[in-house]
Amino acid sequence: MSTDSIGDALLGLDGQQRPRLESQPLHRRTQLVDKELPVKISAEDKELTEAIPVQVNPQYSSNIYNLLMSWQGHVARIRSELDLPDSDTSIWGVHDLKATLIIRDFNERPLGLIESSTREKVEAILSEIDQLFRSYTEEDPRNMIDYIDSDEPDPGRGWWWNRIPVRGPIRRELDVIYGRFQRRI
Protein backbone atom coordinates (compact mmCIF):
# COMPACT_ATOMS: atom_id res chain seq x y z
CA MET A 1 0.00 0.00 0.00
CA SER A 2 1.42 3.40 -0.90
CA THR A 3 1.86 6.21 1.58
CA ASP A 4 -0.80 8.20 -0.27
CA SER A 5 -3.41 5.50 0.13
CA ILE A 6 -2.61 5.17 3.85
CA GLY A 7 -3.00 8.94 4.28
CA ASP A 8 -6.18 8.98 2.22
CA ALA A 9 -7.72 6.37 4.51
CA LEU A 10 -7.37 8.45 7.70
CA LEU A 11 -10.57 8.93 9.66
CA GLY A 12 -11.39 11.86 11.88
CA LEU A 13 -12.80 11.65 15.41
CA ASP A 14 -16.31 11.84 13.98
CA GLY A 15 -15.70 8.70 11.89
CA GLN A 16 -15.71 10.65 8.66
CA GLN A 17 -12.88 10.30 6.17
CA ARG A 18 -10.26 12.95 6.80
CA PRO A 19 -9.05 14.90 3.77
CA ARG A 20 -5.31 14.87 3.18
CA LEU A 21 -4.32 18.41 4.11
CA GLU A 22 -0.87 19.82 4.58
CA SER A 23 -1.29 23.03 6.56
CA GLN A 24 2.37 22.97 7.49
CA PRO A 25 4.81 20.27 6.39
CA LEU A 26 6.11 18.19 9.26
CA HIS A 27 9.74 19.08 8.61
CA ARG A 28 8.88 22.80 8.79
CA ARG A 29 6.98 22.28 12.04
CA THR A 30 9.95 20.37 13.46
CA GLN A 31 12.22 23.30 12.61
CA LEU A 32 9.76 25.63 14.31
CA VAL A 33 9.77 23.42 17.40
CA ASP A 34 13.58 23.37 17.47
CA LYS A 35 13.57 27.17 17.69
CA GLU A 36 11.12 27.01 20.60
CA LEU A 37 13.18 24.67 22.77
CA PRO A 38 13.39 26.57 26.05
CA VAL A 39 16.30 24.84 27.73
CA LYS A 40 19.79 25.33 26.44
CA ILE A 41 22.23 22.83 27.86
CA SER A 42 25.86 23.84 28.19
CA ALA A 43 28.49 21.77 26.39
CA GLU A 44 29.80 20.62 29.78
CA ASP A 45 26.35 19.47 30.96
CA LYS A 46 25.70 17.81 27.62
CA GLU A 47 28.90 15.80 27.92
CA LEU A 48 28.08 14.94 31.53
CA THR A 49 24.54 13.74 30.78
CA GLU A 50 25.55 11.85 27.63
CA ALA A 51 27.86 9.72 29.79
CA ILE A 52 25.00 8.43 31.98
CA PRO A 53 23.28 5.39 30.43
CA VAL A 54 19.61 4.64 30.97
CA GLN A 55 18.08 1.25 30.15
CA VAL A 56 14.77 2.10 28.46
CA ASN A 57 13.74 -1.52 27.83
CA PRO A 58 15.56 -4.86 27.47
CA GLN A 59 16.45 -4.12 23.85
CA TYR A 60 17.23 -0.40 24.03
CA SER A 61 19.34 1.87 26.16
CA SER A 62 19.92 5.58 25.82
CA ASN A 63 21.47 8.29 27.97
CA ILE A 64 20.11 11.07 30.11
CA TYR A 65 20.92 13.77 27.55
CA ASN A 66 18.92 12.04 24.79
CA LEU A 67 16.00 11.48 27.15
CA LEU A 68 16.01 15.12 28.27
CA MET A 69 16.04 16.27 24.65
CA SER A 70 13.27 13.84 23.78
CA TRP A 71 11.09 15.10 26.68
CA GLN A 72 11.78 18.67 25.66
CA GLY A 73 11.09 18.02 21.97
CA HIS A 74 7.81 16.25 22.68
CA VAL A 75 6.65 18.95 25.11
CA ALA A 76 7.49 21.71 22.61
CA ARG A 77 5.84 19.85 19.72
CA ILE A 78 2.56 19.41 21.58
CA ARG A 79 2.61 23.08 22.57
CA SER A 80 3.24 24.11 18.97
CA GLU A 81 0.10 22.24 17.86
CA LEU A 82 -2.37 23.67 20.40
CA ASP A 83 -4.03 25.95 17.86
CA LEU A 84 -3.97 23.62 14.85
CA PRO A 85 -7.22 22.25 13.42
CA ASP A 86 -8.16 18.58 13.67
CA SER A 87 -8.16 18.46 9.87
CA ASP A 88 -4.35 18.79 9.85
CA THR A 89 -3.20 15.21 9.26
CA SER A 90 0.23 15.83 10.77
CA ILE A 91 -0.99 16.68 14.28
CA TRP A 92 -0.20 14.46 17.21
CA GLY A 93 -2.93 12.63 19.12
CA VAL A 94 -3.54 11.09 22.50
CA HIS A 95 -1.12 8.21 21.94
CA ASP A 96 1.62 10.77 21.28
CA LEU A 97 0.72 12.41 24.59
CA LYS A 98 0.98 9.04 26.30
CA ALA A 99 4.39 8.45 24.67
CA THR A 100 5.46 11.88 25.92
CA LEU A 101 4.48 10.94 29.48
CA ILE A 102 6.38 7.65 29.22
CA ILE A 103 9.47 9.59 28.10
CA ARG A 104 9.10 11.73 31.23
CA ASP A 105 9.04 8.49 33.26
CA PHE A 106 12.32 7.45 31.64
CA ASN A 107 13.84 10.78 32.69
CA GLU A 108 12.80 10.19 36.30
CA ARG A 109 14.18 6.64 36.64
CA PRO A 110 17.92 7.34 36.93
CA LEU A 111 17.68 10.31 39.30
CA GLY A 112 18.15 8.24 42.44
CA LEU A 113 21.11 6.43 40.94
CA ILE A 114 23.36 9.33 39.99
CA GLU A 115 25.75 11.41 42.06
CA SER A 116 24.12 14.38 43.81
CA SER A 117 25.82 17.27 41.95
CA THR A 118 24.94 15.68 38.60
CA ARG A 119 21.42 14.91 39.81
CA GLU A 120 20.94 18.57 40.76
CA LYS A 121 21.92 19.66 37.25
CA VAL A 122 19.60 17.12 35.64
CA GLU A 123 16.76 18.09 37.98
CA ALA A 124 17.25 21.77 37.13
CA ILE A 125 16.98 20.99 33.40
CA LEU A 126 13.95 18.77 33.98
CA SER A 127 12.32 21.48 36.05
CA GLU A 128 12.57 23.99 33.20
CA ILE A 129 11.01 21.55 30.73
CA ASP A 130 8.36 20.58 33.28
CA GLN A 131 7.43 24.27 33.62
CA LEU A 132 6.79 24.47 29.89
CA PHE A 133 4.60 21.35 30.09
CA ARG A 134 2.66 22.80 33.04
CA SER A 135 2.17 26.10 31.19
CA TYR A 136 -0.25 24.60 28.67
CA THR A 137 -1.72 21.72 30.69
CA GLU A 138 -4.08 21.47 33.62
CA GLU A 139 -4.88 18.97 36.34
CA ASP A 140 -7.17 16.21 35.09
CA PRO A 141 -9.47 15.07 37.91
CA ARG A 142 -11.22 12.63 35.52
CA ASN A 143 -7.90 10.90 34.67
CA MET A 144 -8.83 10.85 30.99
CA ILE A 145 -5.42 9.47 29.97
CA ASP A 146 -6.46 6.21 31.69
CA TYR A 147 -9.13 5.69 29.02
CA ILE A 148 -6.62 5.55 26.16
CA ASP A 149 -5.94 1.83 26.43
CA SER A 150 -6.32 -1.04 28.81
CA ASP A 151 -3.26 -0.29 30.95
CA GLU A 152 -4.08 -0.13 34.62
CA PRO A 153 -3.08 3.21 36.15
CA ASP A 154 -0.06 3.05 38.40
CA PRO A 155 -0.93 4.75 41.70
CA GLY A 156 2.74 5.70 42.18
CA ARG A 157 3.15 7.36 38.82
CA GLY A 158 4.45 10.90 38.42
CA TRP A 159 2.45 14.14 38.55
CA TRP A 160 2.73 14.49 34.74
CA TRP A 161 0.24 11.61 34.27
CA ASN A 162 -2.46 13.76 35.85
CA ARG A 163 -2.15 16.66 33.40
CA ILE A 164 -3.70 17.21 29.98
CA PRO A 165 -3.56 20.08 27.48
CA VAL A 166 -6.05 22.87 28.19
CA ARG A 167 -6.98 23.03 24.50
CA GLY A 168 -5.97 21.72 21.12
CA PRO A 169 -6.32 18.55 19.08
CA ILE A 170 -5.10 16.20 21.82
CA ARG A 171 -7.58 17.67 24.32
CA ARG A 172 -10.44 17.37 21.85
CA GLU A 173 -9.52 13.75 21.16
CA LEU A 174 -9.35 12.99 24.90
CA ASP A 175 -12.79 14.57 25.38
CA VAL A 176 -14.25 12.39 22.61
CA ILE A 177 -12.69 9.17 23.98
CA TYR A 178 -13.83 9.98 27.50
CA GLY A 179 -17.33 10.81 26.25
CA ARG A 180 -17.58 7.49 24.39
CA PHE A 181 -16.47 5.61 27.49
CA GLN A 182 -19.01 7.42 29.68
CA ARG A 183 -21.86 6.53 27.30
CA ARG A 184 -20.96 2.82 27.66
CA ILE A 185 -21.31 2.90 31.44
Side-chain angles (χ1 to χ4, degrees):
M1 181 179 276
S2 75
T3 305
D4 288 339
S5 51
I6 291 171
D8 292 339
L10 293 174
L11 297 178
L13 292 174
D14 58 2
Q16 299 298 312
Q17 187 168 354
R18 213 181 204 180
R20 187 167 180 81
L21 299 176
E22 295 295 332
S23 67
Q24 188 178 48
L26 185 56
H27 70 278
R28 285 194 60 226
R29 183 162 318 125
T30 302
Q31 291 170 351
L32 176 91
V33 169
D34 289 346
K35 291 178 188 173
E36 294 178 349
L37 294 179
V39 179
K40 304 300 180 212
I41 297 179
S42 71
E44 177 187 332
D45 287 346
K46 179 181 181 205
E47 187 176 323
L48 180 70
T49 56
E50 282 180 327
I52 303 169
V54 178
Q55 192 71 38
V56 174
N57 64 42
Q59 295 82 32
Y60 178 74
S61 66
S62 188
N63 60 56
I64 290 180
Y65 177 78
N66 287 338
L67 292 172
L68 287 167
M69 293 301 94
S70 184
W71 169 236
Q72 179 167 226
H74 279 69
V75 166
R77 166 82 187 255
I78 293 170
R79 186 182 99 195
S80 75
E81 294 184 354
L82 291 175
D83 296 318
L84 293 179
D86 295 341
S87 60
D88 185 330
T89 59
S90 68
I91 59 173
W92 278 7
V94 295
H95 288 91
D96 299 296
L97 173 62
K98 188 165 186 177
T100 301
L101 302 176
I102 291 168
I103 290 167
R104 180 59 178 84
D105 286 344
F106 291 143
N107 275 281
E108 192 72 15
R109 281 185 189 169
L111 292 180
L113 306 174
I114 56 180
E115 186 247 299
S116 65
S117 64
T118 303
R119 183 176 59 249
E120 289 171 7
K121 289 180 180 187
V122 172
E123 287 174 338
I125 295 166
L126 266 176
S127 179
E128 286 187 59
I129 303 167
D130 291 347
Q131 279 306 113
L132 177 63
F133 183 69
R134 284 184 175 110
S135 75
Y136 67 78
T137 61
E138 65 185 358
E139 288 285 328
D140 175 24
R142 299 180 291 177
N143 297 313
M144 288 195 283
I145 199 79
D146 295 340
Y147 296 93
I148 304 256
D149 55 35
S150 61
D151 288 351
E152 289 295 316
D154 175 1
R157 66 187 177 183
W159 59 264
W160 47 93
W161 284 95
N162 297 317
R163 298 192 68 84
I164 57 174
V166 295
R167 67 180 193 285
I170 291 174
R171 177 57 180 264
R172 290 188 294 274
E173 187 177 2
L174 278 167
D175 288 340
V176 168
I177 291 168
Y178 183 78
R180 286 179 185 160
F181 181 81
Q182 291 301 310
R183 285 192 294 275
R184 288 186 206 156
I185 295 178

